[in-house]
Amino acid sequence: MDSNNKIVYGIPMIKYLILILLLSVLIISCSGSKSEARVALENYLVSMKNEEFQKAYDSFSSNIREKCKFEEFQKRASDNYDAIRYSRLVYSGENSNTNRVNVDFMIKIDEREVDLFDMQITDPYRDEETAKFIIENEKWVLDNLIWPVDWCQE
């Protein structure tokens, strides 16, 4: 009789253990590490905030560097530096295929110190920006101009 009680109580306990295991796997998979493209975007933005415009410019693909010369990029970045200094970017998500990644984010400008990729509830009426990355020379590089220098020609 004692062994029957163990079997009856053992079955629900196994279900709870399986449920706990599945929840643990879900939590671990949701808190994964940042993609290489997202890290590249953060490095670009930190360079902009630190006024390291050459380093930020080096984050661009050769296609963008042909269209936008460094002097023009530096001028536009310097003109927009106050916006850079008082901004936060809110990470929205990303989608990718083999050799392309799009990272979506929103810009919030306020008096707080820059907090890159703040994960907070966002305003649904704000426009999103998309940073497009490609692989070039075995690293992810920006393949479009994004805020705060989102155009380069006079």
Side-chain angles (χ1 to χ4, degrees):
M1 189 84 149
D2 205 16
S3 65
N4 286 341
N5 286 340
K6 287 182 183 176
I7 291 172
V8 171
Y9 291 119
I11 292 173
M13 192 61 132
I14 290 174
K15 288 180 184 177
Y16 288 119
L17 287 174
I18 291 173
L19 182 62
I20 290 171
L21 179 65
L22 289 174
L23 286 173
S24 299
V25 169
L26 178 67
I27 290 170
I28 290 170
S29 66
C30 289
S31 64
S33 62
K34 297 175 185 178
S35 71
E36 291 180 32
R38 183 171 164 185
V39 170
L41 177 58
E42 288 180 358
N43 290 338
Y44 166 79
L45 295 167
V46 167
S47 296
M48 292 292 283
K49 181 187 176 298
N50 293 336
E51 295 183 88
E52 297 171 337
F53 299 131
Q54 182 64 54
K55 190 174 178 181
Y57 184 78
D58 292 341
S59 301
F60 289 122
S61 67
S62 56
N63 180 41
I64 296 299
R65 287 192 300 250
E66 285 175 19
K67 293 177 184 175
C68 181
K69 299 301 176 202
F70 174 71
E71 294 74 23
E72 186 63 25
F73 173 80
Q74 184 176 23
K75 178 186 179 311
R76 300 236 182 259
S78 295
D79 291 347
N80 292 328
Y81 185 70
D82 281 340
I84 297 167
R85 201 167 111 211
Y86 295 112
S87 64
R88 295 181 286 128
L89 297 188
V90 181
Y91 174 77
S92 298
E94 61 187 74
N95 55 50
S96 63
N97 63 27
T98 338
N99 56 0
R100 266 191 153 349
V101 174
N102 293 339
V103 179
D104 299 320
F105 61 93
M106 287 182 269
I107 303 139
K108 292 192 172 233
I109 298 176
D110 58 22
E111 296 298 318
R112 289 183 11 178
E113 202 169 306
V114 173
D115 183 10
L116 295 176
F117 288 98
D118 189 7
M119 296 292 283
Q120 68 177 10
I121 297 173
T122 60
D123 180 353
Y125 301 105
R126 293 193 70 98
D127 290 333
E128 279 193 351
E129 289 246 356
T130 301
K132 298 176 182 177
F133 286 88
I134 60 171
I135 293 180
E136 197 172 88
N137 298 323
E138 299 181 18
K139 70 177 189 171
W140 289 102
V141 291
L142 269 166
D143 198 35
N144 66 323
L145 290 169
I146 60 169
W147 179 92
V149 181
D150 49 6
W151 55 280
C152 205
Q153 288 83 20
E154 285 291 334

